[in-house]
């Protein structure tokens, strides 16, 4: 039996999938943090399996979102916004995986270098995006979305100042988080 919420587009599946995607983006950043901590302690870096798993899981979530968009007549947000946010979120674990690949290829190049500040910024950006996506379900007001997006802009600006080769990829992850935040802000402004 169809519920009134489903007919009116308040079906929670889109929010569930977007939150799961943001969670995978955040998890991929945490995998990177763990990898860099192992290298800092001179432990074996292991493999990219955690990164690959996060990216693949997020790809499945993105595909499920696209499939649901095709099957659902009324959505809680505009289809284009859901698709754009889904694509922006997917790019985060994909880029983090690239960082992990480069770290594993040349772990000796990282010896004596500290990426603590950059990783801290990545973590803040991913956590902020996750919080923003969770706010969508509640009907984010424009003021809250602006405030959270301003935080992402600030984090991204700080990351821009720390660029180097590997750091460029880390900064790109922060950029991806900012892109997702911009989409959420646009959605919040549309629906406020």
């Amino acid at each position: 039996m169809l519920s009134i919420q489903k007919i009116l587009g308040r079906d929670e599946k889109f929010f569930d999938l977007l939150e799961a995607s943001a969670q995978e983006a955040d998890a991929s950043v945490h995998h990177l943090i763990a990898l860099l901590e192992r290298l800092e302690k001179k432990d074996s870096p292991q493999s990219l399996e955690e990164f690959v798993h996060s990216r693949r899981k997020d790809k499945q979530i993105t595909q499920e979102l696209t499939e649901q968009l095709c099957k659902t007549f009324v959505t809680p947000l505009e289809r284009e916004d859901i698709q754009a946010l889904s694509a922006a979120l997917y790019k985060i674990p994909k880029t983090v995986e690239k960082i992990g690949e480069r770290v594993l290829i040349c772990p000796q190049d990282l010896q004596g270098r500290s990426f603590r500040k950059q990783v801290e910024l990545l973590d803040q950006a991913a956590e902020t995006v996750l919080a923003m996506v969770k706010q969508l379900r509640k009907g984010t007001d424009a003021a809250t979305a602006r405030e959270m997006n301003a935080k992402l802009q600030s984090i991204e600006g700080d990351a821009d100042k720390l660029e180097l080769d590997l750091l460029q990829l880390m900064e790109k992850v922060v950029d991806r988080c900012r892109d997702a935040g911009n989409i959420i802000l646009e959605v919040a402004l549309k629906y406020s």
Side-chain angles (χ1 to χ4, degrees):
M1 189 167 133
L2 283 174
S3 74
I4 296 292
Q5 284 191 327
K6 284 186 180 182
I7 293 171
L8 296 177
R10 285 304 306 170
D11 191 353
E12 299 292 310
K13 68 184 162 210
F14 291 104
F15 296 116
D16 292 343
L17 290 167
L18 288 170
E19 285 178 18
S21 183
Q23 195 75 45
E24 285 307 315
D26 187 49
S28 69
V29 170
H30 288 275
H31 298 320
L32 180 62
I33 291 168
L35 174 65
L36 292 172
E37 285 174 352
R38 283 193 300 271
L39 287 173
E40 200 173 276
K41 294 176 186 174
K42 300 194 186 335
D43 289 345
S44 171
Q46 297 178 354
S47 73
L48 287 174
E49 197 56 41
E50 293 171 322
F51 295 97
V52 171
H53 178 73
S54 282
R55 181 187 49 78
R56 286 182 179 160
K57 189 171 178 187
D58 199 26
K59 186 170 187 147
Q60 288 174 336
I61 293 166
T62 301
Q63 289 171 336
E64 175 68 18
L65 258 166
T66 301
E67 189 176 308
Q68 290 301 320
L69 283 172
C70 293
K71 292 179 178 179
T72 306
F73 183 67
V74 178
T75 59
L77 305 170
E78 289 185 23
R79 294 171 190 285
E80 297 80 17
D81 294 333
I82 293 171
Q83 191 66 43
L85 180 55
S86 176
L89 290 170
Y90 174 68
K91 289 177 183 176
I92 297 168
K94 189 173 181 181
T95 307
V96 171
E97 182 181 359
K98 288 179 183 180
I99 296 168
E101 287 172 351
R102 286 177 176 80
V103 166
L104 286 179
I105 289 171
C106 302
Q108 67 279 3
D109 290 349
L110 302 179
Q111 298 297 322
R113 293 172 117 180
S114 176
F115 293 99
R116 196 169 308 279
K117 181 63 179 166
Q118 294 84 353
V119 169
E120 183 181 305
L121 291 171
L122 286 176
D123 192 29
Q124 288 175 17
E127 294 287 334
T128 302
V129 166
L130 178 58
M132 289 178 82
V133 170
K134 286 182 177 184
Q135 283 290 318
L136 280 176
R137 183 186 301 266
K138 299 173 188 171
T140 300
D141 63 288
T144 302
R146 271 193 196 99
E147 181 182 309
M148 294 175 98
N149 197 53
K151 180 179 178 181
L152 276 174
Q153 298 292 342
S154 174
I155 293 167
E156 195 265 339
D158 291 344
D160 281 344
K161 297 173 190 169
L162 301 171
E163 285 189 36
L164 291 174
D165 181 35
L166 182 60
L167 300 180
Q168 285 178 332
L169 273 177
M170 289 182 178
E171 194 267 334
K172 191 178 240 181
V173 172
V174 175
D175 287 346
R176 302 286 191 218
C177 290
R178 184 212 53 221
D179 294 344
N182 286 338
I183 293 166
I184 293 168
L185 176 60
E186 289 175 16
V187 169
L189 291 172
K190 277 183 189 177
Y191 294 94
S192 63

